[in-house]
Amino acid sequence: MSDKVQQPKDNTPPINRRHFIKLSGGATAVLSLGFGGWAVTEIVAGKDPATDWRKSVCRYCGAGCGVMLGMRNNEVVRIRGDQEAHNKGVICIKGATLAQLNKTPNRLTRPKIKRDGEFVDATWEEAMSLVAEKFSTSIAQNGPDSVAYYGSGQLYIEESYTANKLFKAGIGTNNVDGNPRLCMASAAVGYTQTFGKDEPPGCYEDIDHANLFFLIGANMYECHPPLWERIMIRKKADPNVKIIVVDPRKTPTAQRADKFLPVVPGSDLLLLNAMACEMVNHNLVDHRMIAEHINFSNGKEQVTYEEYKRFLQDYTPEKVAAQLGITPRDIKEVAYDFATSGATMSMWTMGINQRTQGVFLNNCLNSLHLLTGNICRPGATPFSLTGQSNACGGVRDTGSLAHLLPNGRLVANARHREEMEEIWNVPKERINPKPGYDAVNLFRAMGEEKVKAALIMCTNPAQSLPNLGAAIEAMKKCFLVVAEVFEDTETAKLADVLLPAALWIEKEGVYGQSERRYQLIEKALDPPGEARSDLEIVVELAERLGHGELIPAKTAEAVWDEYRKVSAHSVYNFKGMTRERLKKERGLLWPCPEEDHPGTSRRYTTGDPFVSSDSGMQFYGKPDNRAVVFLRPYIPSEEQKDGQFPLYLTTGRVVEQWHTGTMTDKIPELTEGSGPGRLIMNPYDGWRLGLKDGDPIEVSSKFGALKGKVEFSENETVGVIFAAFYDTKFLINKVVADHYDPVSKEPEYKVTAVKVRKLNPEEIKLEPL
């Protein structure tokens, strides 16, 4: 455990809990910062004052906010934002309720085995013996590709790294994927194609220097409140700072924008190409940047800047504005502001990534920064926000997806396989050259009985996958081992073996958030009952499958020491981040190659240890040190409105809930704040359909149907309806299409053609809502 931190003065006055719930939608906070966001600094979780304050990191999103744990009698009684962390003491209402997280009901405390359709308690020996037997038998009879691992962007780095190593270098299958495929794969491929390496080139500090924020497909006000608060602080310091928001919905973020573009769902590649067209046609580009640091490509071969300009002429503002649902003037103004602000910071998340053209969209966002020179300077950077707490560090960086190997390596690259075989000390050709199943196709393979046994850890695919009805039926055909914190999740219900897992501060490990910052979470509580860390579970499975020698590091600290040395063989180098440093620091940004290195705020420029160019800019992920601007044509989504399905459904999150609500929906204040899942539409659409606010309805697509209630909101665009996916009684993903980007394999949650009808009284009687 790290040294105790001096206890803050505990003189905050009490606040009426019910009153604040009405104000903030679900958190009893002692301070709201007053910039029109959902950010707070503390929640009163009990009457007793804390006697011991310890630094930690929030369990939820990829913002990776530092928190202070107020401990008393081996219990968390208070939570505060960490003033010394990057979030400067600001946390969201979900983070503010973390003191309740480890006390939530329905914890899984003993292993369980399903017998005759019912779960019965088992010992760890019984459970793990059965798991090892089923995996070993399947491998022996059907080959290593008959088993799989489906992980999470919420596991610690040490856990994902070890599971990835076991399955790829031990068992010999690349069937290693996870929920980051559903949220960040397009961003990862987009960065890699443009710069040669994954992860953002900038950092959160850029918010403090930006003159223009271009927010597209990101509802930061609700989904990343502390970062939104930082934007608001920047704008308060300089009222000339502009915020441009591109979103089909008038979200709380859009409501606070200086300019809001309500584009038609699925059309925004037209916008990005039109902005680029306006820039090149009106000399709003950085010609020196283009000459010295950029190549142009059509995806197959290198082309010239002149060919790029000709390609863009099909996307003039006048040609595409009608399809976008905005005006040519809107496009021209935004292009001008983006190019001339002096420091533009783009920020995006699922609205861009969860698309069948997600990679192209990421390419084009990166391209706008390259063309205008808005990169590698304070406040000028393309920044992909992360949804999960450790999707970056734990999955993208460790290579824990079906096509990846650690630190930016690819399964399909023979040299990369040889490097990892040597580093991991396994025989040559041990790593399969064929990428494994991505998330969508992994569960399809279960349905086809090609994958016969799977380990699922720290995620809830039976609620989060698209075309959910088909995915659930597929899981029923596979021997499922689910390591889970709660025994009542939708995925836990489908398991053949349930393994009780430790939660958050009941174990130790490192999280890596959106800005490449690695932060240590130290153990502060014991897990309940017989629960174990996911690392312990993977280590035991390795031993039982005969791969114990492959996994010599059996504790989180030992794994971290191994992995940071592995990183030294790459430009992801964080060898200098020793455990002792992470215990003291509020995280460090890689690259960080030496123990005295301060970490790297901005990549590819002066200060990055891998930049050697005298020009001060070097895109060293590419052989010629030049980034790539791609010619990316607009291809309409397969999901198009028509007479049968006249509306677009888009999905997302709400401020009080996180992902499938597995954790947050067990906290009463958050549940009360969010209310139940529902379908939200513009009143005009409701009027056309003969609906009233609160009516029972059915929403359906080509993929499935779901019953629920409708809510009207003027903030929804006509023709677009919205639903969040946190409520187990409102499984909206049963309706969502499972089309995916052909390169990243990330599904398109944001665009599904649907229809809505009012339920008649007899249907309501048969199936009460």
Side-chain angles (χ1 to χ4, degrees):
M1 200 71 65
S2 62
D3 294 338
K4 295 179 181 178
V5 181
Q6 184 178 358
Q7 177 184 345
K9 290 183 179 180
D10 201 352
N11 55 7
T12 308
I15 189 169
N16 182 288
R17 173 172 295 224
R18 297 284 300 176
H19 175 66
F20 196 86
I21 288 171
K22 292 179 181 179
L23 292 177
S24 70
T28 308
V30 301
L31 180 64
S32 178
L33 297 189
F35 293 115
W38 289 97
V40 298
T41 61
E42 183 187 3
I43 186 167
V44 179
K47 295 180 180 179
D48 293 333
T51 57
D52 173 21
W53 289 87
R54 307 174 188 179
K55 76 176 180 73
S56 192
V57 183
C58 181
R59 173 60 181 79
Y60 297 119
C61 83
C65 295
V67 296
M68 298 297 296
L69 309 177
M71 308 289 296
R72 184 182 178 88
N73 298 327
N74 295 316
E75 181 183 0
V76 181
V77 296
R78 300 288 288 270
I79 289 286
R80 281 187 170 138
D82 186 351
Q83 297 280 354
E84 297 182 37
H86 69 83
N87 50 303
K88 301 176 183 178
V90 179
I91 50 178
C92 75
I93 59 174
K94 295 182 290 294
T97 62
L98 279 168
Q100 300 178 57
L101 179 58
N102 295 82
K103 305 166 191 172
T104 47
N106 300 112
R107 286 295 300 270
L108 182 63
T109 59
R110 294 191 63 185
K112 294 179 182 290
I113 294 173
K114 188 175 284 181
R115 293 191 177 127
D116 299 324
E118 300 292 333
F119 284 115
V120 297
D121 288 342
T123 65
W124 272 100
E125 175 62 31
E126 291 170 329
M128 292 304 293
S129 292
L130 178 59
V131 172
E133 175 193 344
K134 291 288 188 179
F135 270 70
S136 296
T137 300
S138 185
I139 293 167
Q141 294 180 355
N142 307 292
D145 286 338
S146 68
V147 302
Y149 165 81
Y150 189 75
S152 169
Q154 301 159 55
L155 291 167
Y156 292 150
I157 286 176
E158 298 89 338
E159 295 167 336
S160 290
Y161 169 82
T162 303
N164 191 38
K165 183 180 181 183
L166 168 61
F167 276 76
K168 288 177 180 171
I171 295 171
T173 180
N174 292 319
N175 289 341
V176 173
D177 220 69
N179 58 19
R181 177 74 68 180
L182 310 180
C183 59
M184 297 308 303
S186 292
V189 175
Y191 278 135
T192 301
Q193 289 184 344
T194 298
F195 303 113
K197 296 297 176 185
D198 184 19
E199 300 292 10
C203 60
Y204 292 157
E205 183 189 278
D206 286 311
I207 295 172
D208 306 333
H209 303 281
N211 297 328
L212 184 142
F213 295 96
F214 184 70
L215 310 181
I216 180 168
N219 181 12
M220 293 179 68
Y221 179 96
E222 292 194 86
C223 299
H224 295 88
L227 299 181
W228 173 256
E229 196 76 21
R230 195 161 178 171
I231 290 176
M232 291 292 96
I233 292 170
R234 169 64 180 146
K235 189 168 177 62
K236 186 176 179 67
D238 183 355
N240 293 317
V241 167
K242 287 186 179 180
I243 300 172
I244 296 171
V245 173
V246 182
D247 200 300
R249 306 174 58 229
K250 194 173 184 180
T251 64
T253 307
Q255 293 167 34
R256 289 155 177 82
D258 295 290
K259 189 169 186 63
F260 168 48
L261 302 185
V263 297
V264 173
S267 68
D268 36 12
L269 189 68
L270 292 170
L271 172 65
L272 301 184
N273 276 343
M275 289 172 63
C277 181
E278 187 72 6
M279 291 169 181
V280 302
N281 285 351
H282 296 281
N283 200 31
L284 296 173
V285 297
D286 185 330
H287 292 284
R288 181 176 177 183
M289 182 80 185
I290 291 170
E292 296 182 1
H293 299 293
I294 297 174
N295 288 327
F296 293 87
S297 172
N298 61 14
K300 297 179 181 179
E301 59 187 2
Q302 190 168 316
V303 299
T304 66
Y305 177 51
E306 292 303 317
E307 288 175 287
Y308 176 65
K309 290 174 67 175
R310 285 196 293 273
F311 161 79
L312 291 175
Q313 300 316 304
D314 287 336
Y315 299 93
T316 63
E318 289 76 13
K319 289 180 179 178
V320 303
Q323 287 177 267
L324 283 161
I326 57 178
T327 69
R329 179 175 175 175
D330 289 329
I331 300 169
K332 293 176 181 182
E333 288 179 351
V334 169
Y336 176 82
D337 287 344
F338 188 107
T340 62
S341 75
T344 294
M345 186 173 189
S346 294
M347 304 177 87
W348 67 92
T349 183
M350 304 313 148
I352 290 296
N353 297 334
Q354 291 178 333
R355 301 281 298 285
T356 51
Q357 284 202 288
V359 171
F360 282 17
L361 285 161
N362 274 268
N363 290 152
C364 290
L365 280 162
N366 293 331
S367 294
L368 293 179
H369 283 266
L370 290 166
L371 290 168
T372 60
N374 274 294
I375 196 165
C376 299
R377 293 185 286 107
T381 195
F383 198 103
S384 167
L385 293 165
T386 314
Q388 295 188 85
S389 45
N390 199 27
C392 290
V395 176
R396 289 160 68 173
D397 297 352
T398 65
S400 296
L401 291 176
H403 67 294
L404 294 177
L405 290 168
N407 304 134
R409 297 177 177 88
L410 298 173
V411 161
N413 186 306
R415 180 173 59 83
H416 291 175
R417 294 195 305 275
E418 291 170 4
E419 288 174 357
M420 288 313 303
E421 286 162 351
E422 182 177 350
I423 290 169
W424 278 339
N425 194 28
V426 297
K428 289 184 177 181
E429 300 183 1
R430 178 57 180 160
I431 298 174
N432 191 329
K434 180 182 177 183
Y437 291 118
D438 58 87
V440 170
N441 286 302
L442 173 59
F443 289 90
R444 289 176 180 173
M446 292 180 190
E448 296 166 359
E449 299 186 53
K450 295 177 181 177
V451 171
K452 299 179 179 295
L455 172 61
I456 297 175
M457 304 190 93
C458 199
T459 186
N460 190 16
Q463 189 171 340
S464 63
L465 288 169
N467 192 9
L468 185 59
I472 289 172
E473 291 305 309
M475 281 184 261
K476 292 177 181 177
K477 297 181 179 181
C478 181
F479 180 79
L480 284 189
V481 183
V482 178
E484 180 54 82
V485 172
F486 300 104
E487 60 184 0
D488 60 346
T489 71
E490 297 304 297
T491 307
K493 296 172 186 176
L494 299 174
D496 294 283
V497 177
L498 275 175
L499 302 176
L503 169 64
W504 189 38
I505 52 174
E506 295 166 1
K507 57 183 181 178
E508 177 183 302
V510 176
Y511 268 173
Q513 38 82 304
S514 296
E515 62 171 348
R516 295 170 283 107
R517 184 184 299 272
Y518 285 177
Q519 302 177 96
L520 176 65
I521 298 174
E522 296 184 74
K523 183 178 177 181
L525 301 173
D526 289 326
E530 299 176 23
R532 297 179 179 178
S533 74
D534 296 87
L535 177 61
E536 291 176 284
I537 295 169
V538 172
V539 167
E540 181 170 344
L541 179 61
E543 292 172 345
R544 287 178 179 269
L545 294 179
H547 299 295
E549 291 185 3
L550 176 67
I551 313 292
K554 303 183 189 305
T555 66
E557 185 168 356
V559 175
W560 179 255
D561 196 47
E562 174 184 324
Y563 180 43
R564 70 182 180 87
K565 292 174 182 175
V566 169
S567 79
H569 298 271
S570 73
V571 295
Y572 289 58
N573 192 337
F574 58 88
K575 187 180 179 183
M577 296 187 197
T578 64
R579 210 67 164 188
E580 288 306 309
R581 283 192 77 183
L582 292 180
K583 287 179 180 180
K584 297 174 184 177
E585 303 270 7
R586 263 57 176 188
L588 292 161
L589 283 69
W590 62 263
C592 183
E594 306 296 337
E595 292 184 25
D596 60 353
H597 193 280
T600 304
S601 296
R602 295 173 190 87
R603 299 165 78 193
Y604 312 124
T605 189
T606 303
D608 182 331
F610 294 102
V611 169
S612 58
S613 171
D614 293 335
S615 70
M617 192 181 299
Q618 181 180 0
F619 297 106
Y620 51 76
K622 295 291 187 178
D624 60 359
N625 296 318
R626 297 168 74 97
V628 180
V629 167
F630 287 94
L631 288 62
R632 294 306 198 192
Y634 169 66
I635 303 171
S637 168
E638 292 184 52
E639 292 294 302
Q640 295 292 313
K641 294 190 298 183
D642 56 24
Q644 183 179 4
F645 298 106
L647 300 167
Y648 282 126
L649 168 68
T650 190
T651 64
R653 298 208 304 239
V654 295
V655 66
E656 304 91 348
Q657 298 286 353
W658 195 71
H659 281 203
T660 61
T662 305
M663 296 175 286
T664 48
D665 211 22
K666 288 182 168 62
I667 295 173
E669 293 89 346
L670 300 180
T671 299
E672 183 172 351
S674 66
R678 56 213 180 267
L679 193 71
I680 305 176
M681 67 166 54
N682 188 281
Y684 175 76
D685 286 324
W687 171 76
R688 286 193 308 109
L689 295 168
L691 300 175
K692 294 180 181 178
D693 198 347
D695 273 351
I697 52 92
E698 179 185 72
V699 57
S700 60
S701 69
K702 290 178 287 186
F703 301 87
L706 180 69
K707 293 180 175 66
K709 290 187 177 181
V710 68
E711 177 182 302
F712 291 166
S713 172
E714 296 281 358
N715 295 325
E716 301 306 321
T717 301
V718 172
V720 180
I721 58 179
F722 172 79
F725 60 100
Y726 61 87
D727 189 348
T728 58
K729 296 178 181 178
F730 189 74
L731 296 178
I732 191 63
N733 283 324
K734 287 185 175 180
V735 183
V736 171
D738 62 356
H739 310 302
Y740 55 79
D741 184 289
V743 181
S744 70
K745 307 297 194 294
E746 182 168 344
E748 186 166 53
Y749 288 88
K750 300 304 182 186
V751 186
T752 302
V754 298
K755 62 183 177 182
V756 171
R757 70 177 181 89
K758 184 178 178 179
L759 297 178
N760 62 55
E762 291 303 313
E763 289 175 295
I764 300 170
K765 288 179 184 178
L766 291 172
E767 191 175 343
L769 299 178

